[in-house]
Amino acid sequence: MKTGLVLEGGGMRGIYTVGVLDVLLDEAIGFDYVIGVSAGAGNAASFLSGQRGRGYRVNTGYVHDKRYIGLDPILHQKSMFGLDFIYDTIPQELDPFDYDAFHANASEFITVVTDAESGEAVYFDKSNIVGKDFTILKASASIPMFSPPVQYKDKLYFDGGVADSIPVERALADGCDRLVIVLTRKRGYVKQPERLRLAYTRNLKAYPHIAAALDRRHIGYNASLERCYELEKEGKAVVIAPEYALPVDKFGTDSEKLERCYMEGVRDCRHVLPEIDALLSADEK
């Protein structure tokens, strides 16, 4: 049996996922395979390095630093999020990331990005994270309209959530038999077509296939959600999702609300620990 962990993105809503991951670390629950999108990929890194509490510190301790989000990164990087600050300065200087433990972890790790030219999802494994270079994680978090594409080798990439927001089908295709899926939208959420279509079509004139991918994003997202809940009904997945809409959006910086989101993730994961244990200990059929 091959077990997998699937992590949705969602910007600052990812603090909910951090709460879930900290409980999994507390319980020494590991997976053969981890796949993450955007903030989900970034938070997965601290999970795979075994640094319990680091994701919480990064998501709450620096959010009011001018380099993290807002005007300063917009002026210096043309990005709402300070991707260089988040993925270089913090892990290398301010809250050291255990790169050795991350690379030594035997779990497969897949980061989802979107090809800026084709608008298609691309899946990079751990071999593309060399040494302390988190370029792939930056690319997975570069939100169209709010960040420029990130160059990796000879290509440009945007946020993985554009093309594959909940990569459950990829996890299954890569051989996973049992999945724990962490969502940052409440149960029952149905994604609607993207708003501001005129604005993003104009803004992304140089990347027409990204604009087209945004046009159809809700279709793929809702199909992935349906697949998640099908697997849950079949006893092949445990889906962890907020009971109610989280009180922060992808750019939310309210410390009290972030704390609440984190604690909801902790609570929700603890609540389903028996189901996770049963799922991951089940004999392969």
Side-chain angles (χ1 to χ4, degrees):
M1 182 176 71
K2 183 175 180 179
T3 62
L5 177 64
V6 178
L7 304 177
E8 182 182 13
M12 298 308 297
R13 289 195 306 272
I15 189 68
Y16 174 86
T17 302
V18 172
V20 173
L21 297 180
D22 277 354
V23 173
L24 295 177
L25 286 172
D26 287 342
E27 299 297 322
I29 297 173
F31 299 85
D32 302 311
Y33 175 100
V34 178
I35 185 167
V37 181
S38 192
N43 291 325
S46 291
F47 174 73
L48 291 171
S49 68
Q51 292 176 274
R52 194 249 188 258
R54 185 179 180 279
Y56 175 83
R57 295 192 303 272
V58 170
N59 280 269
T60 61
Y62 298 99
V63 72
H64 297 297
D65 187 302
K66 67 177 184 178
R67 296 169 289 179
Y68 194 105
I69 185 172
L71 184 60
D72 188 80
I74 289 173
L75 292 176
H76 293 92
Q77 299 180 50
K78 298 181 180 179
S79 173
M80 180 66 75
F81 285 104
L83 298 180
D84 291 342
F85 178 68
I86 295 170
Y87 292 106
D88 293 332
T89 304
I90 293 177
Q92 294 182 33
E93 300 175 17
L94 302 178
D95 196 320
F97 181 78
D98 192 339
Y99 296 95
D100 291 337
F102 170 79
H103 289 294
N105 191 311
S107 298
E108 294 179 56
F109 177 43
I110 306 297
T111 301
V112 186
V113 300
T114 302
D115 187 303
E117 182 177 354
S118 69
E120 298 294 324
V122 179
Y123 305 90
F124 286 112
D125 63 24
K126 194 187 290 185
S127 68
N128 291 279
I129 300 177
V130 179
K132 299 181 179 181
D133 185 0
F134 277 164
T135 299
I136 290 301
L137 298 185
K138 293 180 191 178
S140 189
S142 57
I143 305 170
M145 280 224 313
F146 298 100
S147 296
V150 172
Q151 182 171 348
Y152 177 65
K153 295 185 177 178
D154 59 345
K155 303 200 73 173
L156 296 173
Y157 300 99
F158 278 108
D159 191 304
V162 175
D164 194 359
S165 298
I166 311 171
V168 61
E169 293 291 356
R170 179 67 186 202
L172 295 171
D174 284 344
C176 292
D177 306 289
R178 299 288 186 271
L179 297 173
V180 172
I181 304 164
V182 184
L183 306 177
T184 58
R185 295 286 194 179
K186 70 173 184 175
R187 282 184 177 268
Y189 173 79
V190 176
K191 191 168 187 60
Q192 301 301 314
E194 296 288 338
R195 296 177 295 173
L196 304 175
R197 185 177 186 277
L198 181 60
Y200 71 68
T201 300
R202 287 178 175 174
N203 181 272
L204 297 167
K205 190 174 296 185
Y207 307 102
H209 290 290
I210 293 295
L214 289 172
D215 285 343
R216 61 178 181 269
R217 186 185 179 198
H218 64 291
I219 299 171
Y221 187 97
N222 291 330
S224 294
L225 271 182
E226 183 177 351
R227 184 67 168 129
C228 290
Y229 294 125
E230 285 177 356
L231 291 168
E232 186 177 49
K233 289 178 181 178
E234 294 169 1
K236 297 179 181 178
V238 171
V239 178
I240 305 174
E243 184 177 358
Y244 304 102
L246 293 175
V248 295
D249 62 17
K250 60 175 170 278
F251 300 127
T253 60
D254 185 295
S255 297
E256 182 178 343
K257 291 179 179 179
L258 290 170
E259 176 72 18
R260 283 170 52 196
C261 291
Y262 172 81
M263 292 309 302
E264 286 190 40
V266 168
R267 179 201 64 197
D268 290 350
C269 188
R270 286 178 177 163
H271 182 72
V272 298
L273 281 175
E275 287 91 337
I276 294 174
D277 182 65
L279 178 82
L280 300 186
S281 61
D283 293 333
E284 184 175 359
K285 295 181 179 181

